[in-house]
Amino acid sequence: DDQTDALSVAGDGGSDCDLFLAQADVLEGAPPLSSAWKLYDGWAGLMPAALRANEATVVLAINENAQVDALARLLHRLRRERGDALKLVVRELQPCLRYADERLLLQCGGSLVVPAHTPLPRLLTLLDAVQRQRWQGQLADDPEPLIRSHRPPPISGLVSVARFRQIAGERIDLDGSAVESAVLALQPVAGLRAEQTLQQLRIRRQGDVVCVYRGQVRLFLFGCRRDAIEQALSNLFRLPWRELFDGCGADGLASIDP
């Protein structure tokens, strides 16, 4: 069958550079695009073929932040065992990756991370761009220290002011410039209370926490660069965030009294 053919092509010493081994989810329900495409259910279904590939393009999906550590380990194993010619592509199915997560996946052997909401034609263009490329990174002997350094706090959502200050303060002191994070102060528009704006807030990522302090919404966004703040706020609030808040201050921790 097709999956057996994929394994034999990848494992018999012949070139498999034109082969695409992908989770079915990455094609959004479309059938294989050609005979060069082999589709599998989940990581477990894909791994046997990927572990026999030499130069193929392997496309894995991720749809929740809790999968990042496991995917990093999987990428590291594939890169360590199959070499630098394998193309390892991660497609984000739902917005769930911070820049720190993306960097971790790339440091653990990923060739490319494709953001959520990327149209299928654009995905194919990006896949074409990595063909004939070799991974240029330096693979760590053990992925665990990398994973620990990129791991967010094990909490998310609404917390007390004291807990907010503790979480944000500890991570900023711990990470320094290694994993950039954002601490924001959001002032609700006139006539709107901070508590009301929280009804529009959807926190999906571990490590992102919020509190209400002196009529403002304070947000800690783990692994969020300054140039990504506006996009992060757009993802977090159901309504356009500028309709809810007059402005966004970028140092929402310093002004919280200990």
Side-chain angles (χ1 to χ4, degrees):
D1 60 21
D2 284 349
Q3 295 190 4
T4 302
D5 292 343
L7 292 174
S8 64
V9 169
D12 64 6
S15 175
D16 61 355
C17 61
D18 296 323
L19 191 65
F20 292 84
L21 309 175
Q23 285 180 241
D25 291 349
V26 306
L27 293 186
E28 303 169 4
L33 302 179
S34 71
S35 60
W37 281 78
K38 313 300 178 186
L39 302 184
Y40 304 85
D41 292 329
W43 298 346
L46 177 59
M47 278 299 286
L51 284 168
R52 296 186 62 182
N54 299 310
E55 300 176 76
T57 301
V58 179
V59 191
L60 305 106
I62 185 168
N63 55 26
E64 59 179 333
N65 192 253
Q67 297 174 316
V68 170
D69 291 359
L71 181 55
R73 295 184 184 100
L74 186 152
L75 291 172
H76 186 275
R77 180 186 177 189
L78 287 171
R79 184 62 67 198
R80 183 186 68 237
E81 296 188 18
R82 305 313 301 166
D84 293 344
L86 199 66
K87 281 82 71 177
L88 298 177
V89 178
V90 175
R91 185 174 197 196
E92 187 185 31
L93 299 182
Q94 298 290 335
C96 63
L97 295 177
R98 308 171 180 85
Y99 94 96
D101 298 324
E102 294 183 18
R103 187 173 67 174
L104 172 64
L105 297 177
L106 295 174
Q107 289 178 336
C108 284
S111 305
L112 175 69
V113 176
V114 181
H117 307 313
T118 300
L120 187 56
R122 176 62 178 159
L123 169 67
L124 300 181
T125 299
L126 292 171
L127 293 179
D128 186 61
V130 301
Q131 299 308 302
R132 309 298 187 272
Q133 292 184 7
R134 298 184 71 90
W135 190 67
Q136 299 296 319
Q138 185 70 37
L139 192 66
D141 292 335
D142 181 359
E144 295 307 319
L146 268 177
I147 291 171
R148 284 194 297 272
S149 70
H150 287 77
R151 184 173 290 153
I155 190 172
S156 64
L158 182 65
V159 296
S160 69
V161 172
R163 185 77 172 115
F164 180 92
R165 183 173 182 83
Q166 178 190 15
I167 293 166
E170 286 178 354
R171 295 306 302 192
I172 289 174
D173 291 341
L174 173 65
D175 296 325
S177 60
V179 178
E180 185 178 349
S181 299
V183 186
L184 309 176
L186 300 167
Q187 179 64 50
V189 297
L192 199 60
R193 293 184 296 107
E195 290 81 3
Q196 292 173 303
T197 68
L198 297 183
Q199 298 173 11
Q200 299 297 323
L201 180 63
R202 302 167 299 179
I203 290 184
R204 299 190 183 96
R205 305 184 310 179
Q206 190 176 45
D208 290 351
V209 295
V210 62
C211 74
V212 174
Y213 180 71
R214 293 184 178 175
Q216 292 183 329
V217 172
R218 302 298 175 99
L219 273 171
F220 172 72
L221 304 179
F222 175 81
C224 181
R225 301 190 310 264
R226 286 183 179 270
D227 61 4
I229 287 174
E230 292 215 14
Q231 183 59 53
L233 290 175
S234 296
N235 290 335
L236 282 167
F237 289 95
R238 294 185 178 89
L239 292 176
W241 71 273
R242 292 187 183 278
E243 294 181 8
L244 300 171
F245 303 101
D246 277 334
C248 171
D251 192 7
L253 181 64
S255 59
I256 296 182
D257 296 332

